[in-house]
Amino acid sequence: MNNGFSLMESMLTLFIVSLISFVVMIQMPSNSGSLVDREIENIRYFFHNAQISAIEKGERNVIFVYQVANEIMRINSDGTIEESIVLEQCTIKTNSMTRFSYLPNGDTNAFGTIRLNCANSDVNFIFQIQKGRFRVEQ
């Protein structure tokens, strides 16, 4: 009597399992991409939070973009640092906008672009005057 699997059946089973695992491994997202996306989302949240804070408190919030420290800071009207974000996955490019303000009504006082290099791709936060609107181009 034959109570086991044949060599051909075992090889076929291993081949199918290997093929499935290979396809799954190819479709898995890379971890570095998700870290970059998370940092871009954190920057977006940082700017929205600065605008909402300016509206709620009725005071100007100044945003400073420091390329040397790779940091973005929010400073309130009496000069104290309210919040800052140190970029780890992205770097600030030299030709970026370095300063703008959110006014008490939520508008911005300047227009320009904060240029970042994130995982060897360009990411731009483009600000408009009025309404504090910005868009992210990747």
Side-chain angles (χ1 to χ4, degrees):
M1 282 187 64
N2 189 0
N3 291 333
F5 294 104
S6 71
L7 181 60
M8 189 58 92
E9 291 170 332
S10 298
M11 287 178 57
L12 182 62
T13 302
L14 286 174
F15 175 74
I16 291 171
V17 169
S18 299
L19 187 63
I20 291 171
S21 63
F22 178 72
V23 169
V24 169
M25 291 298 288
I26 288 177
Q27 294 179 356
M28 289 180 62
S30 68
N31 192 23
S32 63
S34 64
L35 292 175
V36 169
D37 293 340
R38 193 173 310 143
E39 183 159 272
I40 292 169
E41 194 60 35
N42 286 342
I43 297 167
R44 185 187 314 236
Y45 175 77
F46 179 87
F47 291 134
H48 283 297
N49 190 32
Q51 182 183 29
I52 290 169
S53 175
I55 294 169
E56 285 179 349
K57 294 179 181 178
E59 64 181 24
R60 175 185 295 247
N61 278 323
V62 181
I63 306 297
F64 286 102
V65 181
Y66 289 113
Q67 180 199 4
V68 175
N70 208 37
E71 181 176 16
I72 303 172
M73 302 173 78
R74 177 172 63 94
I75 299 175
N76 65 15
S77 60
D78 47 332
T80 58
I81 298 172
E82 289 285 323
E83 186 179 13
S84 70
I85 183 171
V86 177
L87 306 180
E88 296 175 3
Q89 303 299 318
C90 300
T91 56
I92 302 168
K93 291 179 146 183
T94 56
N95 56 351
S96 290
M97 179 170 60
T98 57
R99 178 183 173 176
F100 70 95
S101 297
Y102 281 108
L103 304 175
N105 63 357
D107 292 351
T108 53
N109 70 335
F111 66 93
T113 303
I114 296 175
R115 301 176 197 286
L116 305 174
N117 182 356
C118 303
N120 293 324
S121 64
D122 293 334
V123 177
N124 297 319
F125 284 80
I126 303 170
F127 288 84
Q128 302 172 358
I129 287 184
Q130 298 184 359
K131 309 264 190 243
R133 294 184 182 152
F134 66 91
R135 70 179 188 273
V136 181
E137 289 183 353
Q138 292 180 320

